[in-house]
Amino acid sequence: MSLVGREGEQARIHRLLANARDERSGVLGLRGAAGIGKSVLLEHAVSIAEEGGMRVVRVAGVESDSELAYGGLHHLLFPHVDRLDALPAPQARALRCAFGLSEGDEANRFLISAGTLSLLADLAEKAPLLCVIDDLQWLDQGSVEALLFAARRFVADPIAMLFALRDTAMPFDIAGVEVVDLPGLAAPDAARLLDEHAPELIEPVRTRVLAESGGNPLAIIELGSSRLAADDADPAEQVGPLPVTRRVQETFRHQIAGLPEPAQRALLVAAADLAAPLATILHVIESLGGTAGDLEPAERDRLVWIDSRITFRHPLVRAAAYQDAPLHRRIEVHRAYAEALRGDADADRRAWHLAAATITPDEAVAAELEDAAERAWHRGGAMAVCAAYDRAGRLSADRELKARRIARASQAAFDAGKADRAARLAAEALSLTTDPGIRATAIYTRGAVEYERTSPRADAELTLEAAALVRDSDPERAVLTLYEAVHAARHGAAHDLLERAADLMRGFTPPEHWAPVVAALLGWAELFAGRPEQAVGPMRALHAATRGAGNDLTHQITTGFGGLMIADDDSVVTGTEDMLAEVRANGALGWVPYTLNVLAVARLLRGEFADARACVAEGVSVSDELGNTTESLAHRSVEVWLHAVSGDEARCRALAEEVLPRARARHRVNAEIAAWGLGMLDLSARRFGEAYDRLELVSRGPASRDLLVRAVPDLVEAAVRGGMPDRAHGPLAAFRHWAEHVDRPVATGLELRCRALLAGDGDAEALYTGALRLHEGHGGPYEHARTQLVYGEWLRRRRRRTEARAHLAAAVSAFERLGAPLWAERARGELAAFGERGDEPQRSGPLTLLTPQELQVVRLAATGHTNKEIAAQLFLSPRTVGHHLYKAYPKLGVTGRAELTGLVQPQHR
């Protein structure tokens, strides 16, 4: 197709390629109707890139292959499989598994995505790279996910990625990618294109073609070039205009109808499996009584091009060749393909041809599709698993087999991020069976959908129903289901549901390796019932049981969340860092947001705010990448607290206004952290009445016995400084009961600080100094500075000038290093009230100047990791890592990574 007009789009493409040559990665999507010129623009980009010395890799989606796991990625990257050894080993293994080059456990789709990123980055080492993907809407979902994952993470690589996708009835989302919608050609350009291809057209035919083509270049060319258009005949014989793509397809149908019958049959064979090698297509044609020569008329009319494969001139030609054929002809062709592929290595393609040739239940075909689903599961193609199990269910003669297969399809649909399809299939499976195991599977999937759609509470309610079904018959499955129910109930602060889960766990004998987890989860129920004396023992025992590598991630995450509830901050950070390193190394990206959530809160509680921000930023990014709305809100709720401590009142309040209404329904515990942050903002700004009102709601709220118990010391301070000390005694009593039984220095120090604030002069000083001793070595620099502040305030009111100044000045310095300016200003105000001129505000610590991702990269570089190793951990390219280091050095006042070790303190181990 001629490239007429499209000057604006061409300029965008030229900028994209120029940026890539300057090592500035970019991605662009082109969207429009069939025939609008997307492929022509892609060809233009390829031509310009190759003329400029760029390397080009490309693939086009094929509708019939859209259910084959990683088929698109295979076509794009398999020619470069010899470079897999240059990738991090887990990523290389995952790609080999996806490509069918090795056997193994289920391929990890996130490692496949990371491997795609790494392989494309490797291909760009010698020359800038253009990656072209046409008909993205027909690529299998696994390939789409991997390519978009890579596209969104390239920053400083010489890589341009160009996607083209067709407008379809179902919108195709490519979030995070700039998309240009291609309209029809402007009238002068449309006229010029028509005159180039059909200069003999006379009026009024020419006017009609221009009017009915709607500026669609393919429609202009095809309608203008056809004899039908020249004769002013209407190929569809309709009254009034048709949509352009349908009208163009009608033109192709007439062309195909004019071919000899053997040519039409040969064209149908080619259309039935576009990915089949030419030899296979010819074999099928011959098995149906034809010859290779039957394709000659279609080739002569330029409907197809033939070399090592058969390429249709346009997807609509293929659609017309297939859809216009009678059903019995299509069945005949698919059966011939299935016979030709008997014993072939491509068993999946044979199974799908059998399915296409089968219109009534057939258990043998259903079983082959189930085998194909299992193979797709091992390759990590969740949507391919769903499609195969779904079709197998439709072909099942037995009702229970149908229910089981559709329930498995529902699970796979959820894993693929297709919540609506998962819910529909789960409901269908439930309508088909009374089998407890199958029903438990379907209900569990419905719960997972509801976690994202509605709330964790809705998930917990359904998951408890599923657990009750299999509690006595399948302990392993029951304990996994109960684990999900308890975590969902805890996230939603639905302690009534957690108690129901505890009732199911009491008297239940779990598999041996799950016993410590079940005991710890029962401890959660005790803690939330106000009985920490019965909770702490089993919760700490789980930490001892999960110490060291190789533990189940469900056990480790339970240890992390539990540790936050009982003030085991240091061990939580150590264990969760190890878990994060493990999930990064294994490519378990789905676990990253949950792990980062634990780590962000632990670092927040220890006053390591820059690191907490880095955790939150990555947690939001990965959650959004995975479509995990609930976990994204959980992280953004923590961000509210971090904005509060940084003194950014406008951003804190704006984010809280945006996040809190949704977070309270989605993730109540972290929503309460955001509310706590708003109270902290008021407290640091000396708005004590407002702070007390906010913090009282938190301390009486549904998560008050969760980690939000840590807000009580702030409530006590607000009550005392606001002249309402009597209102602090009740909350403090509950806090003291908790602190006594968790028995950790940070908790004891906070309790002593609270008691000092309420004590008379005779007792206060000993309590303050006791709190200071504990906070010097435990709880982090923030709590230490907070204790210095209130003790300094107490000393100032007693005119102990020298001692007060020392503590207040130390608090000012600490708050400034931490990037807590409102707290520093409050301490500086105390100095001023005492007649001291506070020092000018100092610059925050150097790490607070870095972006979250720069901080992550710098910390890893400081411990000796290479750019390639850092890239593998953070799912980036090595060049992007180098880019972040280059941006970080001047902020830190260093010139190279050798200077980082002394500047960046290692994270707590």
Side-chain angles (χ1 to χ4, degrees):
M1 188 187 301
S2 302
L3 184 56
V4 173
R6 305 295 187 206
E7 286 80 8
E9 292 84 356
Q10 291 182 62
R12 299 282 285 276
I13 289 171
H14 291 177
R15 285 198 301 273
L16 180 76
L17 299 179
N19 287 340
R21 287 191 286 267
D22 289 340
E23 299 189 0
R24 286 178 290 163
S25 306
V27 56
L28 183 66
L30 304 174
R31 179 170 52 207
I36 204 68
K38 304 180 297 295
S39 298
V40 176
L41 283 167
L42 295 185
E43 291 297 335
H44 176 71
V46 168
S47 174
I48 297 298
E50 289 177 339
E51 287 176 7
M54 296 181 71
R55 183 176 203 158
V56 177
V57 294
R58 61 194 303 184
V59 68
V62 177
E63 191 173 10
S64 62
D65 289 356
S66 61
E67 307 295 3
L68 297 176
Y70 295 106
L73 212 59
H74 186 281
H75 282 299
L76 181 73
L77 297 178
F78 192 78
H80 309 288
V81 73
D82 59 311
R83 305 176 75 100
L84 290 182
D85 288 338
L87 273 56
Q91 297 178 16
R93 284 195 300 270
L95 283 178
R96 287 192 177 95
C97 187
F99 294 162
L101 296 175
S102 63
E103 298 292 332
D105 296 332
E106 177 193 2
N108 183 305
R109 63 190 178 113
F110 303 121
L111 273 180
I112 292 168
S113 296
T116 299
L117 181 151
S118 297
L119 184 51
L120 290 173
D122 184 67
L123 290 173
E125 280 298 311
K126 296 284 182 68
L129 178 72
L130 171 63
C131 182
V132 174
I133 299 94
D134 200 358
D135 281 324
L136 181 72
Q137 77 284 348
W138 286 339
L139 236 55
D140 62 279
Q141 180 165 333
S143 297
V144 172
E145 286 178 351
L147 289 165
L148 292 178
F149 180 95
R152 287 189 281 258
R153 279 168 171 73
F154 288 127
V155 174
D157 295 85
I159 296 176
M161 298 187 73
L162 198 52
F163 297 97
L165 63 158
R166 184 188 294 191
D167 277 334
T168 58
M170 292 293 291
F172 191 91
D173 182 33
I174 52 173
V177 173
E178 180 189 4
V179 176
V180 175
D181 288 300
L182 299 181
L185 291 176
D189 292 328
R192 181 156 59 94
L193 181 63
L194 179 59
D195 291 342
E196 285 181 8
H197 287 268
E200 74 286 356
L201 278 185
I202 60 172
E203 297 293 351
V205 176
R206 181 177 182 278
T207 299
R208 183 172 185 182
V209 167
L210 289 172
E212 300 229 5
S213 66
N216 184 294
L218 179 65
I220 292 169
I221 293 170
E222 295 302 329
L223 295 177
S225 300
S226 70
R227 291 190 305 275
L228 292 166
D231 295 337
D232 198 20
D234 191 326
E237 298 180 356
Q238 90 286 3
V239 177
L242 288 173
V244 167
T245 53
R246 184 177 164 195
R247 174 177 284 282
V248 174
Q249 188 163 326
E250 290 292 347
T251 299
F252 290 141
R253 283 174 175 159
H254 276 263
Q255 285 185 264
I256 293 168
L259 297 174
E261 194 278 332
Q264 292 184 43
R265 183 178 57 194
L267 211 54
L268 170 61
V269 171
D273 192 335
L274 195 62
L278 181 60
T280 302
I281 294 173
L282 294 178
H283 176 82
V284 172
I285 290 172
E286 290 167 1
S287 74
L288 295 171
T291 68
D294 293 345
L295 287 166
E296 190 275 333
E299 189 176 22
R300 184 187 60 232
D301 286 359
R302 295 184 298 114
L303 292 170
V304 294
W305 290 276
I306 303 175
D307 42 40
S308 60
R309 290 185 179 273
I310 296 179
T311 303
F312 282 83
R313 178 164 119 210
H314 191 273
L316 292 179
V317 177
R318 182 182 176 228
Y322 186 83
Q323 293 168 9
D324 258 18
L327 176 62
H328 74 278
R329 286 289 192 194
R330 298 201 300 268
I331 290 174
E332 178 184 60
V333 166
H334 285 297
R335 283 180 179 159
Y337 266 113
E339 186 62 31
L341 294 170
R342 185 182 296 277
D344 192 273
D346 196 350
D348 291 353
R349 197 173 293 279
R350 167 181 159 79
W352 279 108
H353 278 296
L354 281 173
T358 306
I359 58 175
T360 58
D362 186 317
E363 181 54 35
V365 177
E368 289 211 31
L369 276 171
E370 183 167 357
D371 290 343
E374 289 300 307
R375 287 189 292 272
W377 183 80
H378 284 289
R379 290 196 298 273
M383 205 59 222
V385 175
C386 174
Y389 265 122
D390 191 354
R391 183 68 174 134
R394 309 297 159 202
L395 295 176
S396 300
D398 180 84
R399 187 180 178 91
E400 293 300 315
L401 280 175
K402 178 177 183 177
R404 179 177 64 78
R405 286 162 174 162
I406 289 176
R408 290 293 304 275
S410 174
Q411 282 184 308
F414 180 79
D415 291 342
K418 302 296 184 183
D420 289 344
R421 186 169 181 177
R424 176 177 58 78
L425 289 169
E428 182 178 359
L430 287 169
S431 73
L432 292 168
T433 183
T434 59
D435 181 276
I438 299 173
R439 290 185 67 82
T441 297
I443 293 169
Y444 185 91
T445 302
R446 286 181 62 196
V449 171
E450 288 305 309
Y451 186 94
E452 280 303 309
R453 276 184 171 175
T454 308
S455 69
R457 182 184 179 91
D459 178 16
E461 288 174 332
L462 286 165
T463 311
L464 284 172
E465 182 184 347
L469 287 169
V470 294
R471 177 182 182 272
D472 298 325
S473 60
D474 191 344
E476 183 79 32
R477 189 169 174 192
V479 76
L480 273 168
T481 310
L482 286 166
Y483 157 86
E484 171 66 23
V486 170
H487 277 263
R490 184 253 165 183
H491 290 167
H495 297 158
D496 58 323
L497 297 181
L498 198 148
E499 187 57 41
R500 278 174 51 190
D503 289 341
L504 286 171
M505 288 187 285
R506 294 185 184 105
F508 166 65
T509 303
E512 184 177 355
H513 67 287
W514 273 98
V517 179
V518 170
L521 294 177
L522 283 167
W524 290 16
E526 296 290 348
L527 185 71
F528 300 148
R531 297 185 290 271
E533 62 274 15
Q534 298 180 41
V536 172
M539 291 170 73
R540 291 225 166 96
L542 178 61
H543 171 71
T546 57
R547 189 175 296 152
N551 287 288
D552 192 288
L553 294 176
T554 56
H555 297 24
Q556 294 181 58
I557 203 74
T558 303
T559 301
F561 280 124
L564 292 175
M565 301 174 206
I566 55 175
D568 284 347
D569 303 344
D570 293 345
S571 62
V572 168
V573 169
T574 302
T576 310
E577 281 180 340
D578 291 340
M579 181 182 176
L580 185 60
E582 181 182 351
V583 298
R584 290 194 195 285
N586 295 334
L589 194 62
W591 281 95
V592 167
Y594 301 99
T595 310
L596 287 168
N597 187 2
V598 174
L599 194 55
V601 174
R603 292 205 172 283
L604 175 154
L605 292 173
R606 296 203 319 177
E608 297 163 351
F609 302 135
D611 290 296
R613 289 187 189 95
C615 292
V616 166
E618 186 181 5
V620 170
S621 173
V622 175
S623 297
D624 290 345
E625 181 84 47
L626 302 177
N628 191 336
T629 303
T630 298
E631 205 58 26
S632 180
L633 285 168
H635 279 283
R636 298 182 77 203
S637 297
V638 176
E639 189 179 2
V640 172
W641 200 104
L642 292 169
H643 284 321
V645 79
S646 72
D648 193 338
E649 185 157 357
R651 289 180 69 186
C652 178
R653 295 194 185 283
L655 184 60
E657 186 176 343
E658 176 190 348
V659 166
L660 265 173
R662 292 185 295 149
R664 284 193 168 116
R666 296 275 193 160
H667 201 299
R668 189 58 187 263
V669 171
N670 281 35
E672 293 300 303
I673 291 176
W676 177 15
L678 290 172
M680 291 279 292
L681 181 67
D682 288 329
L683 184 61
S684 64
R686 302 178 63 85
R687 297 187 290 264
F688 299 121
E690 293 93 327
Y692 176 84
D693 291 341
R694 290 187 185 279
L695 293 168
E696 183 187 33
L697 292 174
V698 171
S699 297
R700 291 183 177 179
S704 59
R705 288 174 175 160
D706 203 300
L707 62 89
L708 273 301
V709 70
R710 299 283 283 270
V712 169
D714 301 316
L715 171 71
V716 170
E717 184 177 337
V720 171
R721 292 291 183 253
M724 304 170 285
D726 290 346
R727 297 188 183 183
H729 291 292
L732 179 56
F735 183 84
R736 289 186 68 180
H737 182 58
W738 170 82
E740 175 187 351
H741 291 287
V742 302
D743 191 25
R744 282 294 181 260
V746 61
T748 304
L750 289 170
E751 182 222 346
L752 292 175
R753 189 172 83 200
C754 290
R755 290 169 57 195
L757 282 163
L758 289 164
D761 284 355
D763 298 321
E765 184 155 21
L767 293 168
Y768 276 127
T769 56
L772 270 178
R773 279 195 300 272
L774 289 171
H775 284 159
E776 282 174 357
H778 304 278
Y782 175 67
E783 291 299 351
H784 187 220
R786 291 279 304 276
T787 304
Q788 288 179 309
L789 171 60
V790 292
Y791 184 33
E793 289 173 335
W794 184 86
L795 290 167
R796 183 187 72 77
R797 284 168 175 77
R798 279 140 193 88
R799 301 285 177 178
R800 291 164 61 175
R801 178 189 184 110
T802 303
E803 296 165 279
R805 190 184 194 290
H807 286 291
L808 292 170
V812 169
S813 179
F815 287 137
E816 286 178 338
R817 284 196 307 274
L818 291 168
L822 288 182
W823 286 106
E825 188 58 33
R826 177 172 154 184
R828 194 178 286 107
E830 287 291 320
L831 287 171
F834 199 34
E836 295 283 345
R837 185 180 65 82
D839 295 334
E840 290 299 315
Q842 302 297 307
R843 194 177 86 161
S844 299
L847 297 185
T848 65
L849 302 177
L850 303 180
T851 68
Q853 193 147 84
E854 287 168 359
L855 178 60
Q856 287 180 303
V857 169
V858 162
R859 283 211 180 277
L860 290 168
T863 58
H865 288 84
T866 65
N867 285 10
K868 189 172 182 179
E869 291 168 341
I870 297 169
Q873 286 203 41
L874 300 183
F875 306 109
L876 302 171
S877 72
R879 283 180 186 259
T880 296
V881 169
H883 170 79
H884 287 308
L885 283 173
Y886 177 79
K887 300 276 283 186
Y889 289 157
K891 297 179 183 180
L892 297 173
V894 302
T895 57
R897 66 198 307 145
E899 300 172 66
L900 294 176
T901 304
L903 179 67
V904 180
Q905 294 298 317
Q907 292 175 297
H908 183 88
R909 300 300 303 164

